[in-house]
Amino acid sequence: MTARDLIAAALRRWYVVLLGAVLTVGALYVVTKQAPVYWTQYNILLVGPSGAQKTTVLDDPVYGLQPLVGVIATDFNDGDPPLLTGDVAATIVGEGHREGVQVRVPNLGTQWRPLFPANYLDVQVAAADPEEVLATARATSLRVSVLLEELQDDMGAPLNLRARAVPSSKNPTVIAVTGSRSRALAGTGLSGMAITLAVLLMLERRWPRSRPAPARTPARTSLLRRRPRSAVTA
């Protein structure tokens, strides 16, 4: 289909172009009115017993706090394995979530060679209100502490050898994430144009324009006359 054919199809099916333009403008209006997402990130450190005079099993890397971090993350996520990302800079908002909590084990290695030597949990909270973010962050820290205590109770760990969950900040910094409005508008506009063009082409292929039938050419008359059947050859 040439550009002239495309313009002719758009003029012929103007209602498709009009509907696509209206929907695209509506989507652009929704994009401009999107409220920001409030997000915060902080760590919950697992700290071993302090003030012990003798060497404890926690001093041995085999019995370190790293396995305990994975257990707490799994318990927090109700038995699901902890979220393992290829980059510690990945955020819950960047994954498309506008609300929720993520408690995960930070990957300090690479995507192809993961490494989890950290003795802390990466906590991220997203919500539509900054006060809700802070309240959810405090509730998350409290729940991690309760899970750690319950786990050590089940293990029968002595009180002087127990680990503690310490948040890196009681009032973490809340950031308003708005994204790039210009990119959102450009992407929405191009998507609307592409969908409208696809619908137009689909209609043209399924129901093409009716073309007049070609005029029939008159049959050629034979210059030779037929010999009458009654004639007898001499």
Side-chain angles (χ1 to χ4, degrees), residues 116-146:
F116 307 98
N119 63 330
Y120 62 88
L121 294 167
D122 176 33
V123 181
Q124 299 188 25
V125 183
D129 184 79
E131 296 298 330
E132 183 180 354
V133 172
L134 291 176
T136 305
R138 297 189 189 100
T140 301
S141 300
L142 179 59
R143 185 184 174 190
V144 169
S145 298
V146 171

PDB file of all heavy atoms in Angstrom, residues 116-146:
ATOM      1  N   PHE A 116      25.313 -13.726  47.556  1.00  0.00           N
ATOM      2  CA  PHE A 116      24.462 -13.220  48.638  1.00  0.00           C
ATOM      3  C   PHE A 116      25.184 -13.317  49.980  1.00  0.00           C
ATOM      4  O   PHE A 116      24.801 -14.083  50.865  1.00  0.00           O
ATOM      5  CB  PHE A 116      23.150 -14.007  48.693  1.00  0.00           C
ATOM      6  CG  PHE A 116      22.428 -14.066  47.382  1.00  0.00           C
ATOM      7  CD1 PHE A 116      22.547 -15.180  46.562  1.00  0.00           C
ATOM      8  CD2 PHE A 116      21.645 -13.014  46.954  1.00  0.00           C
ATOM      9  CE1 PHE A 116      21.892 -15.234  45.342  1.00  0.00           C
ATOM     10  CE2 PHE A 116      20.986 -13.057  45.737  1.00  0.00           C
ATOM     11  CZ  PHE A 116      21.115 -14.173  44.932  1.00  0.00           C
ATOM     12  N   PRO A 117      26.233 -12.508  50.161  1.00  0.00           N
ATOM     13  CA  PRO A 117      26.960 -12.556  51.426  1.00  0.00           C
ATOM     14  C   PRO A 117      26.447 -11.555  52.466  1.00  0.00           C
ATOM     15  O   PRO A 117      27.001 -11.470  53.560  1.00  0.00           O
ATOM     16  CB  PRO A 117      28.382 -12.194  50.998  1.00  0.00           C
ATOM     17  CG  PRO A 117      28.181 -11.213  49.887  1.00  0.00           C
ATOM     18  CD  PRO A 117      26.911 -11.637  49.182  1.00  0.00           C
ATOM     19  N   ALA A 118      25.416 -10.783  52.133  1.00  0.00           N
ATOM     20  CA  ALA A 118      24.981  -9.709  53.022  1.00  0.00           C
ATOM     21  C   ALA A 118      24.217 -10.272  54.216  1.00  0.00           C
ATOM     22  O   ALA A 118      23.517 -11.283  54.116  1.00  0.00           O
ATOM     23  CB  ALA A 118      24.107  -8.719  52.261  1.00  0.00           C
ATOM     24  N   ASN A 119      24.357  -9.591  55.334  1.00  0.00           N
ATOM     25  CA  ASN A 119      23.611  -9.959  56.535  1.00  0.00           C
ATOM     26  C   ASN A 119      22.494  -8.953  56.801  1.00  0.00           C
ATOM     27  O   ASN A 119      22.191  -8.626  57.944  1.00  0.00           O
ATOM     28  CB  ASN A 119      24.555 -10.020  57.741  1.00  0.00           C
ATOM     29  CG  ASN A 119      25.182  -8.679  58.057  1.00  0.00           C
ATOM     30  OD1 ASN A 119      25.381  -7.860  57.154  1.00  0.00           O
ATOM     31  ND2 ASN A 119      25.487  -8.431  59.320  1.00  0.00           N
ATOM     32  N   TYR A 120      21.880  -8.480  55.730  1.00  0.00           N
ATOM     33  CA  TYR A 120      20.777  -7.541  55.873  1.00  0.00           C
ATOM     34  C   TYR A 120      19.741  -7.800  54.786  1.00  0.00           C
ATOM     35  O   TYR A 120      20.016  -8.444  53.770  1.00  0.00           O
ATOM     36  CB  TYR A 120      21.271  -6.086  55.794  1.00  0.00           C
ATOM     37  CG  TYR A 120      21.917  -5.708  54.495  1.00  0.00           C
ATOM     38  CD1 TYR A 120      21.179  -5.226  53.414  1.00  0.00           C
ATOM     39  CD2 TYR A 120      23.298  -5.831  54.336  1.00  0.00           C
ATOM     40  CE1 TYR A 120      21.779  -4.890  52.214  1.00  0.00           C
ATOM     41  CE2 TYR A 120      23.908  -5.498  53.137  1.00  0.00           C
ATOM     42  CZ  TYR A 120      23.145  -5.022  52.081  1.00  0.00           C
ATOM     43  OH  TYR A 120      23.741  -4.700  50.895  1.00  0.00           O
ATOM     44  N   LEU A 121      18.538  -7.287  55.024  1.00  0.00           N
ATOM     45  CA  LEU A 121      17.424  -7.407  54.094  1.00  0.00           C
ATOM     46  C   LEU A 121      17.195  -6.075  53.398  1.00  0.00           C
ATOM     47  O   LEU A 121      17.276  -5.022  54.025  1.00  0.00           O
ATOM     48  CB  LEU A 121      16.152  -7.830  54.827  1.00  0.00           C
ATOM     49  CG  LEU A 121      16.153  -9.228  55.452  1.00  0.00           C
ATOM     50  CD1 LEU A 121      14.972  -9.374  56.401  1.00  0.00           C
ATOM     51  CD2 LEU A 121      16.101 -10.295  54.375  1.00  0.00           C
ATOM     52  N   ASP A 122      16.896  -6.153  52.123  1.00  0.00           N
ATOM     53  CA  ASP A 122      16.548  -4.962  51.348  1.00  0.00           C
ATOM     54  C   ASP A 122      15.033  -4.788  51.400  1.00  0.00           C
ATOM     55  O   ASP A 122      14.290  -5.639  50.918  1.00  0.00           O
ATOM     56  CB  ASP A 122      17.032  -5.120  49.907  1.00  0.00           C
ATOM     57  CG  ASP A 122      16.613  -3.946  49.025  1.00  0.00           C
ATOM     58  OD1 ASP A 122      16.545  -2.820  49.550  1.00  0.00           O
ATOM     59  OD2 ASP A 122      16.347  -4.154  47.834  1.00  0.00           O
ATOM     60  N   VAL A 123      14.578  -3.691  51.998  1.00  0.00           N
ATOM     61  CA  VAL A 123      13.147  -3.433  52.178  1.00  0.00           C
ATOM     62  C   VAL A 123      12.761  -2.227  51.332  1.00  0.00           C
ATOM     63  O   VAL A 123      13.409  -1.179  51.405  1.00  0.00           O
ATOM     64  CB  VAL A 123      12.798  -3.174  53.657  1.00  0.00           C
ATOM     65  CG1 VAL A 123      11.290  -2.943  53.811  1.00  0.00           C
ATOM     66  CG2 VAL A 123      13.247  -4.340  54.521  1.00  0.00           C
ATOM     67  N   GLN A 124      11.697  -2.384  50.533  1.00  0.00           N
ATOM     68  CA  GLN A 124      11.192  -1.299  49.708  1.00  0.00           C
ATOM     69  C   GLN A 124       9.679  -1.218  49.879  1.00  0.00           C
ATOM     70  O   GLN A 124       8.993  -2.247  49.896  1.00  0.00           O
ATOM     71  CB  GLN A 124      11.547  -1.500  48.233  1.00  0.00           C
ATOM     72  CG  GLN A 124      13.038  -1.536  47.970  1.00  0.00           C
ATOM     73  CD  GLN A 124      13.368  -1.545  46.493  1.00  0.00           C
ATOM     74  OE1 GLN A 124      12.580  -1.072  45.670  1.00  0.00           O
ATOM     75  NE2 GLN A 124      14.524  -2.072  46.150  1.00  0.00           N
ATOM     76  N   VAL A 125       9.189   0.010  50.004  1.00  0.00           N
ATOM     77  CA  VAL A 125       7.767   0.254  50.216  1.00  0.00           C
ATOM     78  C   VAL A 125       7.307   1.310  49.222  1.00  0.00           C
ATOM     79  O   VAL A 125       7.999   2.313  49.005  1.00  0.00           O
ATOM     80  CB  VAL A 125       7.476   0.723  51.660  1.00  0.00           C
ATOM     81  CG1 VAL A 125       5.974   0.902  51.865  1.00  0.00           C
ATOM     82  CG2 VAL A 125       8.048  -0.260  52.667  1.00  0.00           C
ATOM     83  N   ALA A 126       6.145   1.084  48.610  1.00  0.00           N
ATOM     84  CA  ALA A 126       5.549   2.044  47.682  1.00  0.00           C
ATOM     85  C   ALA A 126       4.081   2.224  48.045  1.00  0.00           C
ATOM     86  O   ALA A 126       3.392   1.266  48.393  1.00  0.00           O
ATOM     87  CB  ALA A 126       5.682   1.577  46.235  1.00  0.00           C
ATOM     88  N   ALA A 127       3.601   3.469  47.957  1.00  0.00           N
ATOM     89  CA  ALA A 127       2.206   3.774  48.256  1.00  0.00           C
ATOM     90  C   ALA A 127       1.869   5.118  47.637  1.00  0.00           C
ATOM     91  O   ALA A 127       2.732   5.832  47.113  1.00  0.00           O
ATOM     92  CB  ALA A 127       1.948   3.783  49.759  1.00  0.00           C
ATOM     93  N   ALA A 128       0.577   5.478  47.720  1.00  0.00           N
ATOM     94  CA  ALA A 128       0.110   6.734  47.134  1.00  0.00           C
ATOM     95  C   ALA A 128       0.244   7.905  48.083  1.00  0.00           C
ATOM     96  O   ALA A 128       0.023   9.051  47.675  1.00  0.00           O
ATOM     97  CB  ALA A 128      -1.349   6.596  46.693  1.00  0.00           C
ATOM     98  N   ASP A 129       0.625   7.654  49.338  1.00  0.00           N
ATOM     99  CA  ASP A 129       0.729   8.719  50.339  1.00  0.00           C
ATOM    100  C   ASP A 129       2.017   8.524  51.132  1.00  0.00           C
ATOM    101  O   ASP A 129       2.349   7.401  51.520  1.00  0.00           O
ATOM    102  CB  ASP A 129      -0.483   8.683  51.278  1.00  0.00           C
ATOM    103  CG  ASP A 129      -0.469   9.819  52.276  1.00  0.00           C
ATOM    104  OD1 ASP A 129      -0.830  10.947  51.890  1.00  0.00           O
ATOM    105  OD2 ASP A 129      -0.069   9.583  53.437  1.00  0.00           O
ATOM    106  N   PRO A 130       2.768   9.594  51.399  1.00  0.00           N
ATOM    107  CA  PRO A 130       4.039   9.438  52.140  1.00  0.00           C
ATOM    108  C   PRO A 130       3.841   8.935  53.561  1.00  0.00           C
ATOM    109  O   PRO A 130       4.674   8.172  54.075  1.00  0.00           O
ATOM    110  CB  PRO A 130       4.645  10.844  52.108  1.00  0.00           C
ATOM    111  CG  PRO A 130       3.516  11.764  51.782  1.00  0.00           C
ATOM    112  CD  PRO A 130       2.569  10.974  50.943  1.00  0.00           C
ATOM    113  N   GLU A 131       2.755   9.344  54.221  1.00  0.00           N
ATOM    114  CA  GLU A 131       2.504   8.857  55.574  1.00  0.00           C
ATOM    115  C   GLU A 131       2.223   7.356  55.564  1.00  0.00           C
ATOM    116  O   GLU A 131       2.629   6.632  56.481  1.00  0.00           O
ATOM    117  CB  GLU A 131       1.327   9.615  56.189  1.00  0.00           C
ATOM    118  CG  GLU A 131       1.588  11.101  56.386  1.00  0.00           C
ATOM    119  CD  GLU A 131       2.745  11.347  57.346  1.00  0.00           C
ATOM    120  OE1 GLU A 131       2.954  10.499  58.251  1.00  0.00           O
ATOM    121  OE2 GLU A 131       3.426  12.379  57.203  1.00  0.00           O
ATOM    122  N   GLU A 132       1.537   6.892  54.532  1.00  0.00           N
ATOM    123  CA  GLU A 132       1.276   5.455  54.424  1.00  0.00           C
ATOM    124  C   GLU A 132       2.570   4.683  54.206  1.00  0.00           C
ATOM    125  O   GLU A 132       2.729   3.559  54.709  1.00  0.00           O
ATOM    126  CB  GLU A 132       0.302   5.205  53.279  1.00  0.00           C
ATOM    127  CG  GLU A 132      -0.110   3.745  53.121  1.00  0.00           C
ATOM    128  CD  GLU A 132      -1.080   3.538  51.977  1.00  0.00           C
ATOM    129  OE1 GLU A 132      -1.513   4.545  51.375  1.00  0.00           O
ATOM    130  OE2 GLU A 132      -1.402   2.368  51.684  1.00  0.00           O
ATOM    131  N   VAL A 133       3.496   5.272  53.477  1.00  0.00           N
ATOM    132  CA  VAL A 133       4.788   4.619  53.259  1.00  0.00           C
ATOM    133  C   VAL A 133       5.526   4.450  54.577  1.00  0.00           C
ATOM    134  O   VAL A 133       6.066   3.371  54.882  1.00  0.00           O
ATOM    135  CB  VAL A 133       5.627   5.429  52.255  1.00  0.00           C
ATOM    136  CG1 VAL A 133       7.049   4.879  52.178  1.00  0.00           C
ATOM    137  CG2 VAL A 133       4.997   5.400  50.875  1.00  0.00           C
ATOM    138  N   LEU A 134       5.577   5.494  55.390  1.00  0.00           N
ATOM    139  CA  LEU A 134       6.275   5.413  56.676  1.00  0.00           C
ATOM    140  C   LEU A 134       5.599   4.423  57.616  1.00  0.00           C
ATOM    141  O   LEU A 134       6.276   3.657  58.318  1.00  0.00           O
ATOM    142  CB  LEU A 134       6.340   6.802  57.315  1.00  0.00           C
ATOM    143  CG  LEU A 134       7.238   7.825  56.612  1.00  0.00           C
ATOM    144  CD1 LEU A 134       7.140   9.191  57.287  1.00  0.00           C
ATOM    145  CD2 LEU A 134       8.688   7.352  56.597  1.00  0.00           C
ATOM    146  N   ALA A 135       4.279   4.433  57.637  1.00  0.00           N
ATOM    147  CA  ALA A 135       3.564   3.501  58.512  1.00  0.00           C
ATOM    148  C   ALA A 135       3.809   2.060  58.088  1.00  0.00           C
ATOM    149  O   ALA A 135       4.020   1.169  58.939  1.00  0.00           O
ATOM    150  CB  ALA A 135       2.069   3.812  58.496  1.00  0.00           C
ATOM    151  N   THR A 136       3.809   1.795  56.794  1.00  0.00           N
ATOM    152  CA  THR A 136       4.063   0.446  56.304  1.00  0.00           C
ATOM    153  C   THR A 136       5.500   0.028  56.574  1.00  0.00           C
ATOM    154  O   THR A 136       5.767  -1.143  56.890  1.00  0.00           O
ATOM    155  CB  THR A 136       3.767   0.372  54.797  1.00  0.00           C
ATOM    156  OG1 THR A 136       2.435   0.829  54.552  1.00  0.00           O
ATOM    157  CG2 THR A 136       3.913  -1.043  54.282  1.00  0.00           C
ATOM    158  N   ALA A 137       6.426   0.970  56.485  1.00  0.00           N
ATOM    159  CA  ALA A 137       7.829   0.657  56.762  1.00  0.00           C
ATOM    160  C   ALA A 137       8.010   0.263  58.235  1.00  0.00           C
ATOM    161  O   ALA A 137       8.724  -0.706  58.545  1.00  0.00           O
ATOM    162  CB  ALA A 137       8.707   1.845  56.414  1.00  0.00           C
ATOM    163  N   ARG A 138       7.379   0.979  59.137  1.00  0.00           N
ATOM    164  CA  ARG A 138       7.488   0.633  60.566  1.00  0.00           C
ATOM    165  C   ARG A 138       6.851  -0.726  60.838  1.00  0.00           C
ATOM    166  O   ARG A 138       7.403  -1.538  61.604  1.00  0.00           O
ATOM    167  CB  ARG A 138       6.816   1.716  61.403  1.00  0.00           C
ATOM    168  CG  ARG A 138       7.454   3.093  61.284  1.00  0.00           C
ATOM    169  CD  ARG A 138       6.884   4.051  62.310  1.00  0.00           C
ATOM    170  NE  ARG A 138       7.332   5.421  62.073  1.00  0.00           N
ATOM    171  CZ  ARG A 138       6.601   6.349  61.477  1.00  0.00           C
ATOM    172  NH1 ARG A 138       5.360   6.068  61.068  1.00  0.00           N
ATOM    173  NH2 ARG A 138       7.080   7.571  61.293  1.00  0.00           N
ATOM    174  N   ALA A 139       5.703  -0.988  60.226  1.00  0.00           N
ATOM    175  CA  ALA A 139       5.054  -2.287  60.423  1.00  0.00           C
ATOM    176  C   ALA A 139       5.905  -3.422  59.864  1.00  0.00           C
ATOM    177  O   ALA A 139       5.963  -4.514  60.444  1.00  0.00           O
ATOM    178  CB  ALA A 139       3.672  -2.280  59.765  1.00  0.00           C
ATOM    179  N   THR A 140       6.583  -3.169  58.754  1.00  0.00           N
ATOM    180  CA  THR A 140       7.452  -4.191  58.162  1.00  0.00           C
ATOM    181  C   THR A 140       8.635  -4.495  59.072  1.00  0.00           C
ATOM    182  O   THR A 140       8.997  -5.667  59.278  1.00  0.00           O
ATOM    183  CB  THR A 140       7.948  -3.727  56.792  1.00  0.00           C
ATOM    184  OG1 THR A 140       6.826  -3.470  55.937  1.00  0.00           O
ATOM    185  CG2 THR A 140       8.827  -4.781  56.150  1.00  0.00           C
ATOM    186  N   SER A 141       9.259  -3.476  59.637  1.00  0.00           N
ATOM    187  CA  SER A 141      10.385  -3.681  60.558  1.00  0.00           C
ATOM    188  C   SER A 141       9.941  -4.469  61.787  1.00  0.00           C
ATOM    189  O   SER A 141      10.661  -5.361  62.269  1.00  0.00           O
ATOM    190  CB  SER A 141      10.973  -2.333  60.976  1.00  0.00           C
ATOM    191  OG  SER A 141      11.435  -1.609  59.850  1.00  0.00           O
ATOM    192  N   LEU A 142       8.746  -4.146  62.298  1.00  0.00           N
ATOM    193  CA  LEU A 142       8.232  -4.864  63.466  1.00  0.00           C
ATOM    194  C   LEU A 142       7.967  -6.326  63.147  1.00  0.00           C
ATOM    195  O   LEU A 142       8.287  -7.223  63.952  1.00  0.00           O
ATOM    196  CB  LEU A 142       6.962  -4.184  63.963  1.00  0.00           C
ATOM    197  CG  LEU A 142       6.276  -4.830  65.175  1.00  0.00           C
ATOM    198  CD1 LEU A 142       7.222  -4.867  66.366  1.00  0.00           C
ATOM    199  CD2 LEU A 142       4.988  -4.101  65.518  1.00  0.00           C
ATOM    200  N   ARG A 143       7.415  -6.586  61.967  1.00  0.00           N
ATOM    201  CA  ARG A 143       7.127  -7.966  61.603  1.00  0.00           C
ATOM    202  C   ARG A 143       8.399  -8.780  61.417  1.00  0.00           C
ATOM    203  O   ARG A 143       8.456  -9.954  61.808  1.00  0.00           O
ATOM    204  CB  ARG A 143       6.295  -8.007  60.322  1.00  0.00           C
ATOM    205  CG  ARG A 143       5.854  -9.428  59.958  1.00  0.00           C
ATOM    206  CD  ARG A 143       5.111  -9.472  58.647  1.00  0.00           C
ATOM    207  NE  ARG A 143       4.825 -10.845  58.255  1.00  0.00           N
ATOM    208  CZ  ARG A 143       4.365 -11.219  57.077  1.00  0.00           C
ATOM    209  NH1 ARG A 143       4.132 -10.300  56.141  1.00  0.00           N
ATOM    210  NH2 ARG A 143       4.147 -12.494  56.806  1.00  0.00           N
ATOM    211  N   VAL A 144       9.432  -8.175  60.834  1.00  0.00           N
ATOM    212  CA  VAL A 144      10.702  -8.885  60.676  1.00  0.00           C
ATOM    213  C   VAL A 144      11.280  -9.236  62.041  1.00  0.00           C
ATOM    214  O   VAL A 144      11.786 -10.346  62.262  1.00  0.00           O
ATOM    215  CB  VAL A 144      11.684  -8.038  59.850  1.00  0.00           C
ATOM    216  CG1 VAL A 144      13.085  -8.642  59.899  1.00  0.00           C
ATOM    217  CG2 VAL A 144      11.215  -7.936  58.406  1.00  0.00           C
ATOM    218  N   SER A 145      11.205  -8.317  63.009  1.00  0.00           N
ATOM    219  CA  SER A 145      11.702  -8.595  64.361  1.00  0.00           C
ATOM    220  C   SER A 145      10.923  -9.734  65.018  1.00  0.00           C
ATOM    221  O   SER A 145      11.505 -10.609  65.676  1.00  0.00           O
ATOM    222  CB  SER A 145      11.613  -7.328  65.220  1.00  0.00           C
ATOM    223  OG  SER A 145      12.415  -6.297  64.685  1.00  0.00           O
ATOM    224  N   VAL A 146       9.603  -9.732  64.827  1.00  0.00           N
ATOM    225  CA  VAL A 146       8.776 -10.794  65.407  1.00  0.00           C
ATOM    226  C   VAL A 146       9.109 -12.141  64.771  1.00  0.00           C
ATOM    227  O   VAL A 146       9.224 -13.168  65.474  1.00  0.00           O
ATOM    228  CB  VAL A 146       7.283 -10.450  65.235  1.00  0.00           C
ATOM    229  CG1 VAL A 146       6.411 -11.633  65.623  1.00  0.00           C
ATOM    230  CG2 VAL A 146       6.914  -9.235  66.078  1.00  0.00           C
TER     231      VAL A 146
END
